[in-house]
Amino acid sequence: MKNRIRVLRAEKDMTQEQLAERIGVTRNTIISMEKGKYCPSIKLGFRIANVFGVGIDDVFTYEEEIDGPSQDDE
Amino acid sequence: MKRFTCLLCTFLVAVLVAAMIGWSIAAGNFLVPVVAIPLGVIVVLACRRNVEEVIADERERKIYSQAALRTLEVAVIASVIAAVIFLSFTVSDTLTPKITGSVYSSGNGTNSMVINLYRAGSPETPENLIRTITIRDIHAMNEDEARVYCQFRNEAFLENEQKGLVGMTIGGILAVILVTYGAFYLYYNKKY
């Protein structure tokens, strides 16, 4: 799963701390999501999209992995 | 309240409650844990409620649950192996002879002692008696007497030693579980 959180955050001139506060998570979670290490739940995904005022598919892009399931599925 | 302050407060409460429970068991006062445990829980909950930052979000919960699951898996496998090993000792336990001892005071101020050795796994009756050793003066015993006396003392305090061993084992297991959990937590924290 890829995301444009970092780009959208930069567009809105928002810090990681501010975004974390808006969506009710820790800053570490934002860092992890931006690095693509953590895949958020649908609920959190919608909250992020709402903060940026865009649709969820403008923030997240699903990419099928060729070699087996993704690490998030473990 | 900051998250760190809350963690510190929780740690202090846990240590205090554990100390109070330990003391109450030693002193035979069982009312203390009944009061201390709920009070500790209330204090910790109050601390958590007053934290302004987000304590745990879905990522944190995922890390906690993954670490807990892996720790449980490791603990179950390790427990099964340990249980099989330790249960095998109970087979040899019944093969150990039973030792009893009685102290008698004589008129000249010396204390003598009679130590009986019974057949393993049998009741303490004269038919099952293997041998009897009499120590004429327990303050002036010879080498053989001392060896038997030591063996008796060892068995006499076996129950206390076993209780202590159980306590140490539980403490050790808890420490291992916490370390394993910590290791898995760090691993998943890095992964996600």
Side-chain angles (χ1 to χ4, degrees):
Chain A
M1 184 85 79
K2 282 193 171 181
N3 66 70
R4 294 177 59 240
I5 297 173
R6 193 189 293 268
V7 177
L8 292 165
R9 198 168 52 76
E11 280 173 9
K12 294 272 177 186
D13 198 21
M14 198 183 274
T15 63
Q16 289 174 332
E17 192 73 54
Q18 285 168 335
L19 178 62
E21 207 174 302
R22 289 278 295 273
I23 60 173
V25 295
T26 59
R27 188 172 158 254
N28 283 340
T29 302
I30 302 293
I31 294 167
S32 193
M33 280 192 291
E34 286 186 354
K35 282 182 181 172
K37 284 161 85 179
Y38 177 65
C39 180
S41 66
I42 294 176
K43 200 174 162 185
L44 187 58
F46 273 109
R47 259 191 281 172
I48 293 166
N50 282 347
V51 167
F52 293 128
V54 293
I56 195 162
D57 50 349
D58 291 324
V59 186
F60 299 98
T61 319
Y62 181 69
E63 284 184 340
E64 192 79 52
E65 288 195 15
I66 303 158
D67 48 348
S70 95
Q71 285 189 327
D72 297 323
D73 299 333
E74 283 177 21
Chain B
M1 188 189 276
K2 294 273 178 200
R3 192 181 173 185
F4 179 75
T5 317
C6 175
L7 279 173
L8 192 70
C9 190
T10 307
F11 177 74
L12 287 175
V13 168
V15 169
L16 198 68
V17 169
M20 283 169 87
I21 291 170
W23 172 81
S24 69
I25 289 169
N29 185 351
F30 295 103
L31 195 71
V32 177
V34 176
V35 179
I37 295 171
L39 205 67
V41 171
I42 291 166
V43 172
V44 169
L45 286 176
C47 283
R48 284 175 73 95
R49 197 166 283 184
N50 285 317
V51 176
E52 293 138 14
E53 303 166 45
V54 176
I55 296 178
D57 55 16
E58 59 174 48
R59 177 180 156 273
E60 286 276 328
R61 275 191 285 272
K62 186 173 181 175
I63 293 167
Y64 288 147
S65 61
Q66 289 274 35
L69 186 69
R70 292 286 174 265
T71 307
L72 186 68
E73 282 173 0
V74 170
V76 166
I77 293 165
S79 301
V80 168
I81 295 167
V84 170
I85 293 168
F86 283 105
L87 278 172
S88 67
F89 282 108
T90 57
V91 178
S92 60
D93 195 44
T94 51
L95 302 172
T96 314
K98 199 166 206 173
I99 293 182
T100 60
S102 315
V103 178
Y104 301 97
S105 296
S106 55
N108 58 2
T110 58
N111 290 324
S112 64
M113 189 171 190
V114 177
I115 295 174
N116 296 319
L117 192 70
Y118 292 95
R119 210 164 272 124
S122 310
E124 294 160 28
T125 54
E127 306 89 66
N128 296 318
L129 189 69
I130 300 170
R131 65 186 169 120
T132 298
I133 294 113
T134 305
I135 303 170
R136 292 181 201 287
D137 183 0
I138 57 171
H139 298 294
M141 54 182 103
N142 62 35
E143 197 183 323
D144 283 338
E145 287 173 344
R147 195 180 305 125
V148 179
Y149 181 74
C150 284
Q151 200 179 346
F152 166 72
R153 292 279 298 185
N154 201 19
E155 287 209 10
F157 286 99
L158 196 64
E159 200 183 333
N160 279 355
E161 280 175 12
Q162 279 173 343
K163 279 179 187 169
L165 196 66
V166 168
M168 280 201 294
T169 308
I170 292 170
I173 289 169
L174 190 68
V176 169
I177 286 175
L178 283 175
V179 168
T180 312
Y181 179 80
F184 278 122
Y185 177 84
L186 290 175
Y187 169 73
Y188 284 111
N189 197 30
K190 201 171 178 189
K191 187 178 175 185
Y192 297 122

